[in-house]
């Protein structure tokens, strides 16, 4: 530009200009400035790509609302939820299978199983909380409150059993699934700093784990709190009791198929 006054410079920069050259133009000056501008643009693009990768990684670890809060700078994230449904599933027979196949095959098979579980979990609108070895934890009604979290958990459990049977046929394996479901209050939050994790705590979680560990392969054992929400919608085997480790004997039920009207 031929405009060289200070006000003209400020006006141009305010309008979005990154640089300002006066006539007559020195071609070497132009070349150096353009080279610098290209370098800055490349650095900017690299930074944006890294930020996108970081956000994608964060979303793979945390629920979207929690990831957004961490991006905004929150460090101590913990919430109480009065009523959610927690599902814990464990692969029965996977440990013995692992002793007879190589480490790469173990990881590949486990990845295929849990990836299939992830798809089913997303379809039901539930949240994968974590994997623990060959166990898988899901919750409903945490990030997005919903009145039908118990029904969604039951449907997911039935779908997981069907998926394991499909994978057994595909890979000629005999892995079974043991599932425990409990409905009630939990505390959810993020722990750790360099390697943080989103987790759940409370008696609801403990009982869901206990229902899974005392269950039977190929069956879904649910707490009375979940049964109360499902008793008119699903078939059940008669009530029984189990030892809740310090909580005495608690009632439990075996979940059956949905009642078709």
């Amino acid at each position: 530009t031929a405009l060289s006054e200070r006000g003209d410079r400020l006006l141009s920069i305010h309008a979005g200009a990154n640089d300002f050259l006066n006539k007559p133009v020195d071609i070497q000056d132009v070349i150096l400035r353009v080279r610098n501008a290209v370098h800055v643009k490349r650095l900017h693009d690299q930074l944006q790509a890294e930020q996108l990768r970081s956000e994608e990684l964060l979303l793979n670890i945390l629920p979207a609302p929690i990831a957004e809060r961490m991006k905004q700078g929150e460090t101590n994230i913990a919430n109480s939820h009065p009523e959610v449904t927690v599902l814990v599933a464990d692969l029965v027979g996977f440990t013995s299978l692992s002793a007879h196949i190589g480490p790469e095959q173990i990881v590949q098979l486990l990845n295929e199983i849990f990836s299939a579980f992830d798809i089913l979990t997303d379809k039901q609108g539930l949240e994968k909380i974590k994997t623990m070895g060959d166990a898988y934890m899901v919750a409903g009604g945490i990030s997005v409150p919903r009145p039908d979290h118990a029904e969604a958990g039951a449907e997911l459990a039935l779908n997981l059993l069907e998926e394991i049977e499909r994978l057994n046929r595909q890979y000629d394996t005999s892995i079974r699934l043991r599932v425990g479901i409990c409905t009630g209050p939990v505390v959810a939050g993020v722990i750790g700093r360099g390697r943080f994790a989103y987790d759940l705590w409370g008696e609801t979680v403990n009982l869901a784990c206990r229902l899974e560990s005392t269950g039977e392969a190929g069956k879904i054992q649910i707490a009375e709190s979940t049964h109360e929400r499902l008793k008119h919608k699903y078939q059940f085997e008669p009530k029984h009791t189990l030892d809740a480790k310090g909580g005495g004997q608690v009632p439990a039920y075996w979940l059956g198929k949905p009642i078709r009207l």
Side-chain angles (χ1 to χ4, degrees), residues 7 23 31 34 47-48 51 63 82 89 105 111 126 158 171 189 257:
K23 296 178 181 178
I31 291 172
V34 169
L47 179 60
Q48 283 194 317
Q51 286 178 333
Q105 291 175 295
N111 181 61
L126 300 174
L158 294 169
Y171 291 103
K257 297 293 184 181

Side-chain angles (χ1 to χ4, degrees), residues 94-134:
F94 191 83
T95 302
S96 58
L97 175 64
S98 302
H100 299 92
I101 61 177
E104 290 184 0
Q105 291 175 295
I106 294 172
V107 173
Q108 181 179 353
L109 179 58
L110 199 59
N111 181 61
E112 177 123 7
I113 293 171
F114 284 164
S115 294
F117 285 8
D118 288 347
I119 293 172
L120 294 172
T121 298
D122 289 342
K123 283 183 178 179
Q124 287 295 335
L126 300 174
E127 294 180 36
K128 172 185 174 182
I129 302 301
K130 62 181 178 179
T131 59
M132 305 159 285
D134 53 9

